[in-house]
Amino acid sequence: MHIILIGFMGAGKTTVGKELAEKLGFPFYDTDQLIEAQMEMSVSNIFSKFGEDKFRSLETEILKGSWTQEENWVLSVGGGLPMKAENQALLKQIGIVVYLRVKTDTVLLRLKGDTTRPLLKGDNAREKADSLLEYRGPFYEAGAELVVDADEKGVEEICEEIIARTASCSK
Ligand code: S3P
């Protein structure tokens, strides 16, 4: 079984993904971490040194890696990855896509003091998050087979919901 978590920055994809993978006894992958390992550089540095376009190409490349052929895994993907039609199609091909949906308030609360997200850096984080989230929401919804509202739920509860709702899926 292959479970893919998509959603906005701060939705909890990595935290939930790790816990879910542990519960299921599957390996856990995260596109940001795979890219950082491949480039030996942080996401922030890739953005500032090579630009966002390069980072977006690396995301597509990662989704074509041989690890995707393994029997089971849980994958969490960067918040911007599903914006590209090619990536959305690849995700649906390789796994069950679950959208962890959160509101701006939750994003800002979770990312308070965070300096690792280049797209929310600087002033007006609320305005930036609001408009990005509004723009991206329909893409996430179109790209997902399941939507899980994650604002007021703990990690355990979210994992149980994903396990229950993916139990009958075959990808
Ligand atoms: C991004 C989200 C980040 C990371 C990069 C760009 C985005 O990942 O890929 O900073 O465009 O939303 P997370 O969603 O894990 O924060």
Side-chain angles (χ1 to χ4, degrees):
M1 179 183 273
H2 304 123
I3 301 178
I4 301 166
L5 302 179
I6 67 168
F8 204 67
M9 293 169 267
K13 300 175 300 260
T14 305
T15 310
V16 169
K18 275 187 188 154
E19 182 65 25
L20 186 61
E22 196 173 319
K23 279 184 183 300
L24 293 167
F26 295 173
F28 171 70
Y29 296 109
D30 177 290
T31 56
D32 286 344
Q33 287 169 11
L34 290 169
I35 290 170
E36 288 183 332
Q38 182 182 311
M39 297 295 284
E40 295 179 344
M41 203 184 274
S42 69
V43 169
S44 282
N45 283 344
I46 299 171
F47 265 72
S48 56
K49 199 157 178 212
F50 301 112
E52 184 173 348
D53 285 354
K54 171 69 179 169
F55 178 75
R56 299 300 173 198
S57 314
L58 291 167
E59 288 188 312
T60 304
E61 223 177 88
I62 284 295
L63 294 181
K64 296 177 177 167
S66 58
W67 60 272
T68 59
Q69 309 295 322
E70 291 168 19
E71 196 181 349
N72 296 305
W73 43 250
V74 173
L75 169 71
S76 102
V77 309
L81 185 145
M83 297 309 109
K84 207 162 141 186
E86 181 184 5
N87 293 346
Q88 235 186 67
L90 274 168
L91 292 181
K92 280 196 170 159
Q93 210 176 299
I94 63 176
I96 308 158
V97 185
V98 179
Y99 170 27
L100 288 190
R101 184 163 61 189
V102 288
K103 301 190 173 87
T104 306
D105 283 346
T106 306
V107 171
L108 295 175
L109 200 70
R110 298 226 181 113
L111 296 185
K112 208 168 171 212
D114 179 281
T115 55
T116 66
R117 275 35 177 231
L119 295 179
L120 295 182
K121 259 188 188 163
D123 297 336
N124 308 322
R126 175 171 290 276
E127 286 75 12
K128 285 180 190 161
D130 258 340
S131 63
L132 252 188
L133 196 50
E134 194 181 323
Y135 172 74
R136 288 179 173 184
F139 286 86
Y140 293 139
E141 275 164 32
E145 275 132 303
L146 297 179
V147 180
V148 173
D149 282 309
D151 288 297
E152 268 130 42
K153 293 176 188 156
V155 178
E156 284 294 311
E157 197 182 341
I158 296 172
C159 287
E160 293 306 333
E161 183 172 339
I162 295 172
I163 290 171
R165 294 177 65 190
T166 54
S168 58
C169 299
S170 58
K171 278 197 261 180

